[in-house]
Amino acid sequence: MEQASVQKLARVLRVMVIVVFVCNIIVLFFVPTLAGMLTENRWDGQAMERLMTGERVGFWLQFSVFSWSPVAWMFALAGGDSYWPVLTLFLLFCGICTAVILWQGRRVLDTVLKGNPFVMDNAKSLKRAAVCCFLISGAALARLVWGFAYYRSAAPLLTYNALFVPIFLMGGLLFMVMSALFRQAAGIKAENDLTI
């Protein structure tokens, strides 16, 4: 009976992970646009209202495609604006790492649905998720240091980057512990299968 409830929960979680993964991939396309709007202070209530009502959707789509072009990056860097490219690269990097973490979570849930969660593949998946967490933490630390140089103040300590460093560091450590537990459980299971 308990196995069925665990698999029901895993099925629901798998659907949620896939939905969040797809949303993550879609949002990655719009990261340069949103970063550009945020850095230019063009994000106001009216812009949001126009976007939500479907007005100027063509404009937003064209702007999103243009923001991916090397021309947009050259204009930003030539104009001395390093904030937009740094923010865009940071968010893209974190978004890609998050997509990898979600994909590894989906892989673990697939083994739970099959009724065989204690396999070495799960240990490897959790280790990959840990590496991605450490990469996000390192990128946040690098952006925090860059923010100190850019603003010449301690203001970056009050941003989400300062929170990303310990949160993703702890997440990475937790994934490493879970990876070790799954590796040990898979070894014990393999041993028991050989003795029986």
Side-chain angles (χ1 to χ4, degrees):
M1 184 69 172
E2 185 163 336
Q3 183 73 12
S5 64
V6 168
Q7 288 181 331
K8 283 180 188 176
L9 180 63
R11 201 171 294 119
V12 170
L13 287 174
R14 185 179 186 277
V15 169
M16 291 171 62
V17 165
I18 289 172
V19 168
V20 173
F21 176 79
V22 169
C23 291
N24 187 2
I25 298 299
I26 292 169
V27 167
L28 279 176
F29 176 73
F30 295 104
V31 163
T33 305
L34 296 173
M37 290 169 55
L38 289 170
T39 56
E40 294 294 323
N41 293 323
R42 287 181 279 184
W43 192 257
D44 57 2
Q46 292 175 352
M48 183 65 171
E49 185 179 318
R50 285 192 303 267
L51 183 60
M52 290 303 185
T53 59
E55 187 180 322
R56 298 186 180 192
V57 170
F59 167 76
W60 292 109
L61 192 56
Q62 289 173 352
F63 189 68
S64 295
V65 171
F66 174 72
S67 63
W68 277 96
S69 72
V71 175
W73 290 78
M74 286 189 305
F75 277 130
L77 292 172
D81 178 24
S82 63
Y83 188 79
W84 175 74
V86 168
L87 178 62
T88 301
L89 289 175
F90 173 73
L91 292 176
L92 284 173
F93 181 77
C94 289
I96 291 168
C97 286
T98 304
V100 171
I101 292 169
L102 289 168
W103 193 255
Q104 299 308 315
R106 187 202 60 83
R107 290 179 62 173
V108 170
L109 289 170
D110 284 346
T111 62
V112 172
L113 286 172
K114 290 177 186 172
N116 190 19
F118 300 112
V119 293
M120 283 297 193
D121 285 344
N122 281 351
K124 292 176 184 174
S125 292
L126 290 169
K127 192 168 187 175
R128 285 185 205 112
V131 168
C132 287
C133 281
F134 291 141
L135 289 173
I136 291 173
S137 181
L141 183 62
R143 185 153 181 255
L144 199 61
V145 170
W146 177 86
F148 291 141
Y150 185 81
Y151 292 112
R152 296 184 190 346
S153 74
L157 286 175
L158 303 175
T159 65
Y160 63 91
N161 292 311
L163 288 175
F164 271 21
V165 176
I167 288 173
F168 281 96
L169 184 66
M170 293 300 292
L173 292 173
L174 180 65
F175 279 131
M176 289 297 282
V177 168
M178 289 172 47
S179 173
L181 288 173
F182 271 82
R183 184 176 296 113
Q184 188 173 7
I188 291 171
K189 183 179 176 288
E191 230 176 74
N192 287 342
D193 288 346
L194 287 176
T195 56
I196 294 173

